[in-house]
Amino acid sequence: MTEGRTTGSARAFELLEPLVQAATVRVHAPPDGYGTAGTGPTWGSGFFIAPGWVLTCAHVVGEGGAAVRLTGREVGITFQSGRYAGNEAATGTVTGRVECVLPERLDERRPARRALWDLPDLALVRVLAPVSHACVWLTDRSRPRFDEVAYFGCTEDLGTPEITGRTTRLRGTAGNGAAIRLGDDDEIDPGMSGGPVVDLARGEVVGVVKARRNTGGGGLAVSVVQLRTLPTAGRGQTGLYRRVMQAHDLHHYDQHLSDLNTRRTWTDAHGELPAPDGDPYGGRGRLTPGERTTLGGLLAELPPPGSSEVVRALVEAARGEEPDPHPPAPLSWRDGLGLLYDPPGGAGEAAAMLRYATDVSVADHREPPTPGADEELWDWVRATAERLWRPLRRELGERHERGLAERARRRRASAGRAAHGPARTAGGLPPGASVLLEVWAHGWEEVFDWRVSVLAGPARPGRVTPVDSGVRVSPARLPEALRAPLAEAFRRCDTHEAAALLEVAVEPELFGLAVDEWALVGGVPLGVQRPVVLRHPVGGGAPEAAVRWARVQGGPLLDERADCVRGRPRSPSAQWLAGLADNTVPVHCRAAALEPTLGSLHAVRQAGYGVVVCRRPPADPGESCAPFHRGLREELADAGRAQVLPLRLQALRGRAYGADPDAYWAAGTALVWDDPARALPEDEPLQGDL
């Protein structure tokens, strides 16, 4: 169908259609060993994104199995094989197993039949046998272009299943960018769910067909960038997203370099697409398709970055401005390339990408790269720069030399630590970015405003990157409202070495907010997954705070009951607090929102104490606080210094979660941690709509 297409998009469709069709699959029930393989009703479509990996919609793999757990379910995949019968590509059928669904809660809470499934409604399927097949080219951009696209999937217009494509335009986004709206230029048949949506101007897959409108044409697709929300890996492991995208880039790199057949590759098609407008450098402002494919392959041969913030820092250095904070966070080196398009001030994309590649070649990787891989990347940068400007070649050479010298300096400085060990003080927090959650109460109303941000940390004091915010949320809905924003912030800050610190900045009245007990990701409480601390909002600090902070960090630690004496409440005086030793940790055992504890928490802060312990008291008001104080005194004595307390409290929470009776005394314990090196934002919160 060519109605409504421009000349350029019609040519692009002709070039891309066979490539997309070759990688698009029909999803159905798994082969049972009796009937003809590939027969039976069509559940939907999918497409190969890397060797052995099919992307589709979660509702497609959930077809006909309301009581079946999605993850681990087996499905049938009918695809075009690499073999040909005459002029026609032969088809094959293979069994696949659902590796993961998004959102993960779909495994526990499935929508009703014919209801719209929760975004992002994606499923990643692992093929259970080695087969020869094609793969699509996935976009690396974090935002789609609202332009002409083609969508593909399985239809049965002529009575037999076949992969067909239709064209339309993108009309906007939905679901905070997770979904993209497809225009009503044509209809979406039911079997097309899970099929790819292709940007015709750039020749890249940007979405997955999700739903059609009840009347007329058009519908919704899911942005493929939502793949970045796949579950992150444990310490020292490579996450599923990074594994799959590495395989994607290496597949296209190998296809580009191979001379074993003459079939057109995605890189070939990119080179034949109508040239984009707006290159003032006469072709030198952008990498050629072959150069872009080669760069992606060379980056994929390196170990993945240690964290999202590493990628963002290198992008900012190459681009000359802070990259787009729009989620999801960049997780791989290729994601960084996607943030380098259209650099500011009319600077060329090619120059920005070569600067970025230069910096990656001299970066500290999470494990040693394959021998020669970083040198090969630099050799390619230097050779590619030969066709660009001489000043850029000189700049890249100087940049590389500076990077090598800086890397050598870092390695000398870390020679005393275990190889590739955490860059932290022994037993203390890592010095990198942390996640900041701010919550504000609406006076006497039982609703909260909130904001989630990334706090850059001591290396970049005062640098705060917003993630998301909301207003007027009830206490019961607060954990669910914060599930996605906190997961996004953790993806940005977690490294392969450690889970990032979560800092909860609230007024003392809200110190009883049980954030450490929220089970938002993987069913495990946040306080078990990572260190969680409380903070006072900006302002109100005492002149003595810096001295007390430095003294308590080095220890030894002295505990002092601030709001009780032998189980009876008391209010500490300012004079008494001022006379305590600087290495004292004031301890509170009663409810933070009630007196005398609320007044004590304010007084302790005004006296300059930056490390304070409090707790949510047990449900039984008659239960003695003596076990809590006894256990805490032993813990502080064993810790010796305050800098290890956030991680020790995390370990205590983990022991209690694992049913260790010796750690039950710590239930509800919270640590106030007002680190002067991690400055908080000073702007006021929103107060809801007028």
Side-chain angles (χ1 to χ4, degrees):
M1 178 174 179
T2 59
E3 289 184 21
R5 290 190 212 152
T6 64
T7 303
S9 67
R11 173 58 179 157
F13 187 88
E14 293 172 2
L15 289 170
L16 297 170
E17 181 184 33
L19 293 170
V20 183
Q21 287 178 324
T24 304
V25 306
R26 185 169 75 92
V27 181
H28 48 81
D32 58 12
Y34 294 97
T36 303
T39 61
T42 297
W43 292 357
S45 302
F47 50 100
F48 280 104
I49 60 173
W53 293 99
V54 171
L55 180 62
T56 184
C57 283
H59 76 262
V60 170
V61 300
E63 183 72 21
V68 178
R69 181 177 171 85
L70 297 181
T71 301
R73 187 183 191 190
E74 292 191 354
V75 299
I77 303 290
T78 295
F79 64 100
Q80 278 192 23
S81 71
R83 300 185 300 276
Y84 279 75
N87 292 325
E88 297 293 327
T91 61
T93 297
V94 68
T95 300
R97 181 173 294 138
V98 179
E99 192 79 7
C100 183
V101 293
L102 295 173
E104 293 179 85
R105 62 178 178 272
L106 287 174
D107 266 328
E108 287 77 34
R109 190 167 66 250
R110 200 88 47 90
R113 183 169 177 79
R114 300 193 180 282
L116 198 65
W117 286 44
D118 293 347
L119 289 169
D121 186 19
L122 292 178
L124 192 61
V125 180
R126 176 166 52 91
V127 172
L128 299 183
V131 292
S132 176
H133 60 79
C135 296
V136 302
W137 179 286
L138 291 178
T139 186
D140 54 13
R141 300 168 186 263
S142 58
R143 297 175 186 261
R145 298 169 61 257
F146 300 128
D147 210 335
E148 291 178 279
V149 297
Y151 57 94
F152 293 78
C154 184
T155 61
E156 298 187 23
D157 294 338
L158 302 179
T160 57
E162 62 175 335
I163 304 300
T164 61
R166 300 164 187 182
T167 59
T168 187
R169 295 182 70 91
L170 297 185
R171 302 294 185 184
T173 63
N176 199 27
I180 48 183
R181 301 185 185 277
L182 301 176
D184 58 1
D185 304 78
D186 209 333
E187 293 184 353
I188 300 175
D189 289 350
M192 301 182 88
S193 280
V197 179
V198 185
D199 181 330
L200 291 174
R202 301 193 181 274
E204 55 192 24
V205 172
V206 297
V208 185
V209 178
K210 170 176 170 59
R212 60 175 179 168
R213 293 191 178 91
N214 291 329
T215 58
L220 280 180
V222 180
S223 170
V224 296
V225 181
Q226 292 299 308
L227 278 172
R228 299 183 194 173
T229 66
L230 285 166
T232 53
R235 179 173 172 177
Q237 299 175 337
T238 300
L240 186 57
Y241 171 77
R242 286 167 171 156
R243 282 173 51 203
V244 173
M245 297 316 302
Q246 181 184 46
H248 167 280
D249 289 342
L250 290 175
H251 167 82
H252 289 291
Y253 180 44
D254 293 341
Q255 292 292 308
H256 174 57
L257 295 182
S258 175
D259 57 3
L260 298 180
N261 62 66
T262 58
R263 290 196 292 273
R264 179 182 279 116
T265 67
W266 281 83
T267 305
D268 296 333
H270 291 159
E272 298 178 46
L273 290 174
D277 298 327
D279 183 359
Y281 302 102
R284 293 191 299 171
R286 297 186 176 95
L287 297 180
T288 67
E291 291 169 347
R292 175 63 185 82
T293 301
T294 301
L295 176 55
L298 293 175
L299 291 174
E301 289 184 332
L302 293 172
S307 71
S308 173
E309 286 301 292
V310 170
V311 179
R312 290 178 59 84
L314 296 189
V315 167
E316 182 175 353
R319 186 179 174 87
E321 67 174 7
E322 187 177 1
D324 181 7
H326 184 76
L331 300 180
S332 66
W333 298 126
R334 87 181 302 266
D335 297 342
L337 290 177
L339 295 171
L340 293 171
Y341 296 105
D342 305 317
E349 291 173 4
M353 289 184 177
L354 292 181
R355 293 186 186 105
Y356 175 75
T358 300
D359 291 346
V360 172
S361 74
V362 294
D364 285 319
H365 301 291
R366 50 186 290 178
E367 64 257 356
T370 302
D374 47 357
E375 289 90 347
E376 185 179 4
L377 175 60
W378 165 241
D379 290 342
W380 175 86
V381 169
R382 188 169 48 189
T384 303
E386 288 296 323
R387 73 172 182 86
L388 301 176
W389 310 275
R390 184 177 302 139
L392 176 63
R393 298 198 296 269
R394 183 173 61 251
E395 175 200 333
L396 293 175
E398 294 171 352
R399 193 183 195 99
H400 184 252
E401 290 299 321
R402 287 196 307 271
L404 288 175
E406 179 63 20
R407 185 173 68 180
R409 185 196 64 78
R410 290 194 302 267
R411 289 178 176 176
R412 286 195 302 270
S414 63
R417 299 197 308 264
H420 307 288
R424 65 176 74 166
T425 318
L429 293 167
S434 62
V435 176
L436 175 64
L437 168 61
E438 299 167 279
V439 181
W440 301 276
H442 266 265
W444 296 106
E445 295 184 78
E446 281 290 308
V447 291
F448 300 114
D449 296 346
W450 58 268
R451 178 170 58 192
V452 175
S453 312
V454 170
L455 201 58
R460 301 170 118 181
R463 177 73 169 269
V464 179
T465 304
V467 174
D468 202 353
S469 61
V471 296
R472 303 190 66 81
V473 180
S474 67
R477 291 185 54 244
L478 194 59
E480 186 61 32
L482 286 164
R483 179 190 299 272
L486 284 176
E488 170 62 22
F490 295 150
R491 276 190 294 273
R492 296 189 184 189
C493 298
D494 287 350
T495 72
H496 69 289
E497 297 172 338
L501 171 70
L502 172 59
E503 303 185 67
V504 183
V506 291
E507 292 289 350
E509 293 89 334
L510 297 181
F511 278 5
L513 200 62
V515 176
D516 58 285
E517 294 183 355
W518 294 352
L520 304 185
V521 182
V524 179
L526 286 177
V528 176
Q529 292 180 335
R530 64 187 62 250
V532 178
V533 299
L534 298 173
R535 294 198 63 168
H536 290 90
V538 171
E544 303 88 351
V547 175
R548 293 194 190 277
W549 177 267
R551 182 69 178 85
V552 78
Q553 292 303 305
L557 302 178
L558 303 176
D559 69 295
E560 193 68 55
R561 299 188 188 193
D563 65 342
C564 87
V565 178
R566 300 190 180 188
R568 296 186 178 277
R570 78 159 172 189
S571 298
S573 67
Q575 293 80 4
W576 180 77
L577 288 171
L580 296 177
D582 290 336
N583 56 330
T584 298
V585 177
V587 179
H588 300 79
C589 63
R590 309 176 75 83
L594 303 176
E595 296 295 352
T597 304
L598 181 58
S600 175
L601 287 169
H602 283 289
V604 162
R605 188 190 188 199
Q606 291 165 3
Y609 293 95
V611 178
V612 180
V613 173
C614 57
R615 73 162 182 166
R616 299 181 294 275
D620 181 3
E623 185 174 328
S624 172
C625 61
F628 166 72
H629 288 289
R630 186 182 305 113
L632 183 62
R633 172 164 290 184
E634 293 175 358
E635 183 68 21
L636 294 180
D638 191 41
R641 60 197 193 284
Q643 61 187 10
V644 302
L645 290 182
L647 292 176
R648 289 186 70 103
L649 180 54
Q650 179 191 0
L652 269 174
R653 289 165 173 158
R655 287 169 53 197
Y657 181 71
D660 180 356
D662 292 339
Y664 287 167
W665 64 264
T669 301
L671 180 67
V672 181
W673 189 260
D674 282 322
D675 186 349
R678 297 179 180 272
L680 297 180
E682 298 185 5
D683 53 322
E684 292 293 326
L686 298 175
Q687 294 296 327
D689 297 328
L690 297 176

